[in-house]
Amino acid sequence: MKFFKIALTPVLLSIGAFLLQGCDDSKSYSELLNEEEHAVNWYLAKNKVSIEVPADGKFETGKDAPYYKMDKDGYVYMQVINAGNPNSKPAEGDRVYFRFMRMNVKSYQQTGQEMWDGNSDNLASEWGNTSLIYGNDVLGSTTQYGEGIQVPLEYLGYDSEVNLIIKSPQGWAADMSQCVPYLYNIRYFKAIY
């Protein structure tokens, strides 16, 4: 038993030192959320913002249109570039293809560098052909993109284009724990069978 205690002590000390070293450099979840909030506010301060969705559903469009606050918590802001076809909107359960580019807003705030990634111009990229099932909150192939990416489909038709700011609670599953807000440019297309 004495040997076990002696052999285990250096291992425990090493683990403890490693954990303490890791704690010095890491941030709490609360700090990450605070940074996310500051980054989004910093970006929105450079743009027009409307805190209400138009009651008649008629959004201003274009690159100078305001960012509309789409939910009460402010997790999703939408700027409509092109409202698409108002006579052709997805129904719940429809497959919707989308092309996107996205930029980490927090990184942009910190570095001043716009670093975009996505599949808008290159379907052979790592993102490939992306689609979701509208209104689905169960299938992993849809939920991996988060709920925020579906918000425009409640209001706009196919062939629409939007800029979205999506905070981590409504963002991609892989980004949630890091509290990373993204700015997306997304175009939505109807599946052709």
Side-chain angles (χ1 to χ4, degrees):
M1 187 66 139
K2 185 176 182 180
F3 173 76
F4 182 72
K5 287 181 184 176
I6 293 172
L8 190 57
T9 301
V11 171
L12 291 175
L13 287 173
S14 296
I15 291 171
F18 177 76
L19 290 175
L20 285 175
Q21 180 182 7
C23 290
D24 289 341
D25 294 334
S26 65
K27 295 180 182 174
S28 71
Y29 184 68
S30 177
E31 290 170 318
L32 292 172
L33 284 173
N34 193 34
E35 285 181 359
E36 178 180 41
E37 186 70 25
H38 284 295
V40 169
N41 289 342
W42 170 82
Y43 186 83
L44 288 173
K46 299 172 166 204
N47 295 278
K48 293 187 285 185
V49 177
S50 176
I51 59 170
E52 294 182 8
V53 173
D56 61 2
K58 295 190 187 303
F59 293 88
E60 287 183 47
T61 61
K63 296 199 182 277
D64 293 328
Y67 277 87
Y68 294 93
K69 182 178 176 183
M70 300 305 292
D71 62 324
K72 67 180 175 73
D73 296 316
Y75 292 148
V76 179
Y77 289 84
M78 177 176 77
Q79 179 186 49
V80 181
I81 305 300
N82 178 350
N85 185 346
N87 299 319
S88 180
K89 292 184 177 182
E92 191 166 323
D94 284 353
R95 178 171 300 278
V96 178
Y97 286 93
F98 62 96
R99 304 290 171 261
F100 73 96
M101 294 299 286
R102 72 181 195 155
M103 176 183 64
N104 179 325
V105 177
K106 193 185 317 186
S107 177
Y108 178 43
Q109 177 196 26
Q110 294 169 349
T111 66
Q113 302 272 324
E114 288 191 27
M115 303 291 290
W116 292 89
D117 192 21
N119 69 355
S120 275
D121 298 326
N122 182 6
L123 290 178
S125 73
E126 68 177 285
W127 304 105
N129 199 9
T130 49
S131 67
L132 55 84
I133 304 299
Y134 178 58
N136 187 289
D137 61 359
V138 177
L139 286 175
S141 60
T142 294
T143 60
Q144 70 178 332
Y145 301 117
E147 293 177 27
I149 208 162
Q150 293 193 44
V151 169
L153 299 172
E154 295 175 38
Y155 304 94
L156 307 174
Y158 286 111
D159 301 320
S160 58
E161 179 181 0
V162 297
N163 288 330
L164 289 178
I165 295 175
I166 302 178
K167 292 181 185 175
S168 59
Q170 294 290 311
W172 291 17
D175 301 326
M176 282 185 185
S177 65
Q178 297 301 311
C179 301
V180 177
Y182 278 93
L183 170 63
Y184 292 84
N185 174 266
I186 306 176
R187 294 173 291 145
Y188 298 97
F189 302 99
K190 187 173 188 171
I192 300 172
Y193 298 103

